[in-house]
Each structure stands twice: as structure tokens, then as C-alpha cells.
Amino acid sequence: MQSSRTFVRSLPGELLNDFKESALACEKIAHLNLLCLRFALRIGADAIAYHHLPSIGSGEPIGLNIICVGFPADLVSHFKDNRVVQIDPTIQETLSGGKARWWDEPAPPRRRMSKAEREYLEYAASKVGTGLHFPTYGPNGRQGYVSIGFGPKKPDFSEAEMANIQLYGQVAHQRYCQLLQEPLNPNVSLSPREREVLSWVAEGKSNGVIADILQVSETSVITYLERAFRKLDVDNRVTAALRASSLGELRHR
């Protein structure tokens, strides 16, 4: 079987065109997610996360985690529960830097980190090995942040090879933005309750918390979500919230 290093070296050219065609052929976000997971395996990764970041000044919530596979469960829970995407300084540094960097590569100091930022970075470093992260950019200022883990052994990718990996992420992010903004069937619209539930999902609330807020059962919340999934042609709550927001179906707090 082709080694991950050989595969990374051969990423441009025909392979990139094949990936572009495969991404464009994805008619559902779930299919695109699967394509990205397969790509991560091909380059020897054992963890991948993709965050969608609406444009600066947008009414949408910042930092919805679309893909998160292979990272320790306690780290993922800590990240989601504490909305760490809003305080992790490496994310903004990576977005502004514009290119792929290793997790442990120091970024140019821009400001003094807060206690919360330092504590999170120390906590995260204790839970994961080595990895690569990079930004992606889309229409109307929509950005993406991709983080790929390789375990304890750091691959010896060159700068050019890291840039090649970023190219694939850019293609996937562009297609993701296109799928988010595809219009709904004109005969389909979200009900007021479905919009309300998805608005709270977009705020990072769990199904149980949403049930308490709306004073309904958690089963009812799940039912509203499942109805919204079918209407929005998605398969998870986070993507449903982001797609509804992208289409102007949500109210923002």
C-alpha cells in the first residue's frame, strides 16, 4: 500500500483534481465529511477536527465544530462545554497567519495571553501528541479552521507538503460553504419551534438544556431536530443549525 509520506508528496496534479471532482459530486454534507475522513487516513492522521467560522461581525455564533474524530473524549467535552473556540489563541493566530503550522510551532507574539488561554493550551498539550493546523477561506468571509492529529510521532513533512495538505482542506471547505447555501425546496420551511430549537443549538446548548429552557421534554426537542434534519437535508444538529442560519432561517441572540 502507498505510504502516507509518498501520498502527501503526490498530492498535487491528478490526485487533487480527483479530490475536487469527488468533492463537487458530494450532494450531502455527510458525504463530504466522509471524503475528508478518508483523506485524513490516507495521510496517516489519527484525528481530525474542522470548525466553521462565520465572518467577522456576523450575527451567527462563532466556532461551530463540524467534524471531530479521534481526539480524546474528555478534551472534546471540555472544548465544547467551555466554548473554547472563543478563547483558544492558536485558532486566531492560525487564521491570521494564512498557512499550515505545527501545533508546537510558536506563533509571533501579538498580545499577552489571558489566564484562561494559558490554562487551556496547557490542558490540551497534556491530552494530544503532535499535529498540524491551518485556515481555509470561503465566500462572504466564511472561514474554516482544520486541525489534524498524527499521534506522538511528528511526520517529517516539508513546507511544500504541508501546503499541499492545506489545498485539499481549502477545496473541501469551499464545497462545504456551497452546500450550506443551497436553497431549500420552496415548499419547505422550518416551523417556529424548529427555528427556536436550532437557535439554541447554535448557542452551544445541549438537548437537555434546550428542553429545560423551552419547558418541554428532551424527546420533544429531539423530534423537532429530526424534523429540521429532513427539511434541511442534513444529518446532525450542528450542521442543521449552521445551514439554517446560512439560509436566514434563524434568529440570533
Side-chain angles (χ1 to χ4, degrees):
M1 181 175 176
Q2 188 182 38
S3 71
S4 60
R5 181 65 189 274
T6 301
F7 180 72
V8 170
R9 283 177 172 169
S10 62
L11 287 181
E14 291 183 4
L15 287 177
L16 181 57
N17 288 332
D18 288 345
F19 185 86
K20 286 179 180 178
E21 290 179 4
S22 296
L24 288 172
C26 291
E27 297 183 352
K28 294 187 176 182
I29 288 171
H31 298 160
L32 183 59
N33 288 352
L34 183 59
L35 179 67
C36 293
L37 292 174
R38 288 174 174 165
F39 174 78
L41 290 174
R42 292 291 300 275
I43 63 173
D46 58 15
I48 182 172
Y50 163 60
H51 306 277
H52 188 86
L53 301 146
S55 58
I56 296 172
S58 169
E60 298 174 30
I62 299 298
L64 290 177
N65 193 346
I66 308 303
I67 299 176
C68 189
V69 176
F71 289 96
D74 53 348
L75 177 62
V76 174
S77 296
H78 179 81
F79 192 97
K80 291 181 178 179
D81 294 345
N82 296 282
R83 304 300 299 274
V84 170
V85 72
Q86 297 182 5
I87 67 169
D88 183 349
T90 61
I91 293 179
Q92 291 305 319
E93 289 168 355
T94 301
L95 289 172
S96 61
K99 67 176 186 176
R101 294 192 301 111
W102 293 107
W103 292 345
D104 60 357
E105 179 184 340
R110 292 184 173 83
R111 59 177 176 78
R112 186 173 181 177
M113 285 193 296
S114 68
K115 180 182 178 183
E117 290 172 335
R118 290 196 305 273
E119 288 178 346
Y120 169 71
L121 292 180
E122 290 170 0
Y123 174 77
S126 71
K127 295 291 182 179
V128 296
T130 186
L132 190 68
H133 51 190
F134 55 84
T136 56
Y137 305 100
N140 300 318
R142 290 182 176 274
Q143 302 179 101
Y145 169 77
V146 180
S147 189
I148 304 176
F150 292 95
K153 187 175 180 180
K154 185 175 183 178
D156 58 344
F157 297 149
S158 67
E159 290 285 334
E161 289 163 347
M162 291 162 60
N164 289 342
I165 293 172
Q166 186 174 357
L167 277 176
Y168 279 69
Q170 180 62 50
V171 168
H173 177 69
Q174 194 77 19
R175 182 56 180 157
Y176 186 83
C177 291
Q178 292 169 353
L179 290 172
L180 277 181
Q181 296 175 30
E182 285 187 355
L184 290 175
N185 184 310
N187 297 319
V188 172
S189 64
L190 297 176
S191 71
R193 190 58 112 181
E194 290 161 0
R195 290 192 186 96
E196 192 170 20
V197 168
L198 288 177
S199 294
W200 285 115
V201 170
E203 293 289 330
K205 306 299 184 184
S206 67
N207 291 350
V209 170
I210 295 171
D212 291 340
I213 292 171
L214 301 181
Q215 296 186 327
V216 298
S217 69
E218 188 168 350
T219 300
S220 295
V221 171
I222 293 172
T223 298
Y224 292 129
L225 286 172
E226 289 175 342
R227 290 174 182 169
F229 290 176
R230 289 193 292 272
K231 292 178 179 180
L232 296 168
D233 197 20
V234 299
D235 65 349
N236 66 79
R237 61 201 298 277
V238 171
T239 307
L242 190 53
R243 176 140 204 251
S245 182
S246 176
L247 295 172
E249 288 282 323
L250 294 190
R251 57 186 176 84
H252 295 292
R253 304 172 191 282

